[in-house]
Coordinates of all heavy atoms in Angstrom, one line a residue:
P133 N 66.2 -30.2 67.7 CA 65.7 -29.2 68.7 C 64.3 -29.7 69.2 O 63.5 -30.3 68.5 CB 65.6 -28.0 67.9 CG 66.5 -28.2 66.7 CD 66.5 -29.6 66.4
A134 N 64.1 -29.3 70.5 CA 62.8 -29.7 71.1 C 61.6 -29.1 70.3 O 61.6 -27.9 69.9 CB 62.7 -29.2 72.5
G135 N 60.6 -29.9 70.0 CA 59.4 -29.5 69.4 C 59.6 -29.4 67.8 O 58.6 -29.0 67.2
V136 N 60.7 -29.8 67.3 CA 61.0 -29.7 65.9 C 61.1 -31.1 65.3 O 61.9 -31.9 65.8 CB 62.2 -28.9 65.5 CG1 62.5 -28.9 64.0 CG2 62.1 -27.5 66.0
D137 N 60.3 -31.5 64.3 CA 60.3 -32.8 63.7 C 61.5 -32.9 62.7 O 61.8 -31.9 62.0 CB 59.0 -33.1 63.0 CG 57.8 -33.3 64.0 OD1 58.1 -33.4 65.2 OD2 56.7 -33.4 63.5
S138 N 62.1 -34.0 62.6 CA 63.1 -34.3 61.6 C 62.5 -34.9 60.4 O 61.8 -35.9 60.5 CB 64.2 -35.1 62.2 OG 64.8 -34.5 63.4
V139 N 62.8 -34.4 59.2 CA 62.3 -35.0 58.0 C 63.5 -35.6 57.2 O 64.5 -35.0 57.1 CB 61.7 -33.9 57.1 CG1 61.2 -34.5 55.8 CG2 60.5 -33.2 57.9
F140 N 63.3 -36.8 56.8 CA 64.3 -37.6 56.1 C 63.6 -38.5 55.1 O 62.4 -38.7 55.1 CB 65.2 -38.4 57.1 CG 64.4 -39.3 58.0 CD1 64.3 -40.6 57.7 CD2 63.9 -38.8 59.2 CE1 63.6 -41.5 58.5 CE2 63.2 -39.7 60.0 CZ 63.0 -41.0 59.7
T141 N 64.4 -39.1 54.2 CA 63.9 -40.0 53.2 C 64.5 -41.4 53.4 O 65.6 -41.6 53.8 CB 64.2 -39.5 51.8 OG1 65.7 -39.4 51.6 CG2 63.6 -38.1 51.5
V142 N 63.7 -42.4 53.1 CA 64.1 -43.8 53.1 C 63.8 -44.4 51.7 O 62.6 -44.3 51.3 CB 63.4 -44.6 54.2 CG1 63.8 -46.0 54.1 CG2 63.8 -44.0 55.6
D143 N 64.8 -45.0 51.1 CA 64.6 -45.6 49.8 C 64.6 -47.2 50.0 O 65.6 -47.7 50.5 CB 65.6 -45.2 48.8 CG 65.6 -43.7 48.5 OD1 64.5 -43.2 48.5 OD2 66.6 -43.1 48.2
K144 N 63.6 -47.8 49.6 CA 63.5 -49.3 49.7 C 63.6 -49.9 48.3 O 62.6 -49.8 47.5 CB 62.2 -49.7 50.4 CG 62.1 -49.3 51.8 CD 63.0 -50.2 52.7 CE 62.9 -49.9 54.2 NZ 63.7 -50.8 55.0
K145 N 64.7 -50.5 48.0 CA 64.8 -51.2 46.7 C 64.1 -52.5 46.7 O 64.3 -53.3 47.6 CB 66.3 -51.3 46.4 CG 66.6 -51.8 45.0 CD 68.1 -51.9 44.7 CE 68.3 -52.3 43.2 NZ 69.8 -52.3 42.9
V146 N 63.4 -52.8 45.6 CA 62.7 -54.1 45.5 C 63.2 -54.8 44.2 O 63.0 -54.3 43.1 CB 61.2 -53.8 45.3 CG1 60.5 -55.2 45.2 CG2 60.7 -53.1 46.5
N147 N 63.9 -55.9 44.4 CA 64.4 -56.7 43.2 C 63.3 -57.7 42.8 O 62.6 -58.3 43.7 CB 65.6 -57.4 43.6 CG 66.8 -56.5 43.9 OD1 67.0 -55.6 43.1 ND2 67.5 -56.8 44.9
S148 N 63.1 -57.9 41.5 CA 62.1 -58.8 41.0 C 62.7 -59.6 39.9 O 63.5 -59.2 39.1 CB 60.9 -58.0 40.4 OG 60.2 -57.3 41.5
T149 N 62.3 -60.9 39.9 CA 62.5 -61.8 38.8 C 61.2 -62.4 38.4 O 60.7 -63.3 39.1 CB 63.5 -62.9 39.3 OG1 64.7 -62.3 39.7 CG2 63.8 -63.9 38.1
Y150 N 60.7 -61.9 37.3 CA 59.3 -62.3 36.9 C 59.4 -63.5 35.9 O 60.1 -63.4 34.9 CB 58.6 -61.2 36.3 CG 57.9 -60.2 37.3 CD1 58.4 -58.9 37.4 CD2 56.9 -60.7 38.1 CE1 57.8 -58.0 38.3 CE2 56.3 -59.8 39.0 CZ 56.7 -58.5 39.1 OH 56.2 -57.6 40.0
L151 N 58.6 -64.5 36.2 CA 58.3 -65.6 35.2 C 56.9 -65.3 34.8 O 56.0 -65.5 35.5 CB 58.5 -67.0 35.9 CG 58.2 -68.2 34.9 CD1 59.2 -68.2 33.7 CD2 58.3 -69.5 35.7
T152 N 56.7 -64.9 33.5 CA 55.4 -64.5 33.0 C 55.0 -65.5 31.9 O 55.8 -66.0 31.1 CB 55.4 -63.1 32.4 OG1 56.4 -63.0 31.4 CG2 55.9 -62.1 33.5
F153 N 53.6 -65.6 31.8 CA 53.0 -66.5 30.8 C 52.0 -65.7 30.0 O 50.8 -65.8 30.3 CB 52.4 -67.7 31.5 CG 53.4 -68.5 32.3 CD1 53.5 -68.3 33.6 CD2 54.2 -69.5 31.6 CE1 54.5 -69.0 34.4 CE2 55.1 -70.2 32.4 CZ 55.2 -70.0 33.7
P154 N 52.4 -64.9 29.0 CA 51.5 -64.0 28.3 C 50.7 -64.8 27.2 O 51.3 -65.6 26.5 CB 52.4 -62.9 27.7 CG 53.7 -63.2 28.2 CD 53.8 -64.6 28.7
L155 N 49.5 -64.5 27.1 CA 48.6 -65.0 26.0 C 48.1 -63.7 25.2 O 47.3 -62.9 25.8 CB 47.5 -65.8 26.5 CG 46.8 -66.7 25.5 CD1 47.7 -67.7 24.8 CD2 45.6 -67.4 26.1
L156 N 48.6 -63.5 24.0 CA 48.4 -62.2 23.3 C 47.8 -62.4 21.9 O 48.0 -63.5 21.3 CB 49.8 -61.5 23.2 CG 50.6 -61.3 24.4 CD1 52.0 -60.8 24.1 CD2 49.9 -60.4 25.4
I157 N 47.1 -61.4 21.5 CA 46.6 -61.3 20.1 C 47.4 -60.3 19.4 O 47.5 -59.2 19.8 CB 45.1 -60.9 20.1 CG1 44.2 -62.0 20.8 CG2 44.6 -60.7 18.7 CD1 44.2 -63.3 20.1
K158 N 47.9 -60.7 18.2 CA 48.7 -59.9 17.3 C 47.8 -59.6 16.1 O 47.4 -60.5 15.4 CB 50.0 -60.5 16.9 CG 50.8 -59.7 16.0 CD 52.1 -60.4 15.6 CE 52.9 -59.6 14.6 NZ 54.2 -60.3 14.3
Y159 N 47.6 -58.3 15.8 CA 46.9 -57.9 14.6 C 47.9 -57.2 13.6 O 48.4 -56.1 13.9 CB 45.7 -56.9 15.0 CG 44.9 -56.4 13.8 CD1 44.1 -57.3 13.1 CD2 45.1 -55.2 13.3 CE1 43.3 -56.9 12.0 CE2 44.4 -54.7 12.2 CZ 43.5 -55.6 11.6 OH 42.8 -55.2 10.5
R160 N 48.1 -57.9 12.5 CA 49.1 -57.4 11.5 C 48.5 -56.5 10.4 O 47.3 -56.7 10.0 CB 49.8 -58.6 10.9 CG 50.7 -59.4 11.8 CD 51.3 -60.6 11.1 NE 50.3 -61.7 10.9 CZ 49.8 -62.0 9.7 NH1 50.0 -61.2 8.6 NH2 48.9 -63.0 9.6
S161 N 49.3 -55.6 9.9 CA 48.9 -54.8 8.8 C 49.2 -55.6 7.5 O 49.8 -56.7 7.5 CB 49.6 -53.5 8.8 OG 51.0 -53.7 8.5
W162 N 48.8 -55.0 6.4 CA 49.2 -55.5 5.1 C 50.8 -55.5 5.1 O 51.4 -54.6 5.5 CB 48.7 -54.7 3.9 CG 47.3 -55.0 3.6 CD1 46.2 -54.2 4.1 CD2 46.7 -56.0 2.8 NE1 45.0 -54.7 3.6 CE2 45.3 -55.8 2.8 CE3 47.3 -57.0 2.0 CZ2 44.5 -56.7 2.0 CZ3 46.5 -57.9 1.3 CH2 45.1 -57.7 1.3
R163 N 51.4 -56.5 4.5 CA 52.8 -56.6 4.3 C 53.2 -55.7 3.1 O 52.6 -55.8 2.1 CB 53.3 -58.0 4.1 CG 54.8 -58.1 3.8 CD 55.2 -59.5 3.7 NE 56.6 -59.6 3.1 CZ 57.3 -60.7 3.1 NH1 56.8 -61.9 3.6 NH2 58.5 -60.7 2.6
K164 N 54.1 -54.8 3.3 CA 54.7 -53.9 2.3 C 56.1 -54.3 2.0 O 57.0 -54.1 2.8 CB 54.6 -52.4 2.7 CG 55.3 -51.5 1.8 CD 54.7 -51.4 0.4 CE 55.3 -50.4 -0.5 NZ 54.8 -50.4 -1.9
D165 N 56.3 -55.0 0.9 CA 57.6 -55.5 0.5 C 58.1 -56.4 1.6 O 57.5 -57.5 1.9 CB 58.6 -54.4 0.2 CG 58.2 -53.6 -1.0 OD1 57.5 -54.1 -1.9 OD2 58.4 -52.4 -1.0
N166 N 59.2 -56.0 2.3 CA 59.7 -56.9 3.4 C 59.6 -56.3 4.8 O 60.4 -56.6 5.7 CB 61.2 -57.1 3.1 CG 61.4 -58.1 2.0 OD1 60.8 -59.1 1.9 ND2 62.4 -57.7 1.1

Side-chain angles (χ1 to χ4, degrees):
V136 177
D137 291 350
S138 299
V139 178
F140 54 95
T141 59
V142 176
D143 297 330
K144 291 288 186 177
K145 186 175 182 180
V146 181
N147 294 314
S148 293
T149 302
Y150 278 113
L151 180 60
T152 61
F153 302 94
L155 196 60
L156 307 173
I157 295 293
K158 177 180 178 179
Y159 180 73
R160 292 180 282 105
S161 69
W162 284 96
R163 174 174 170 172
K164 172 63 176 175
D165 297 329
N166 286 317

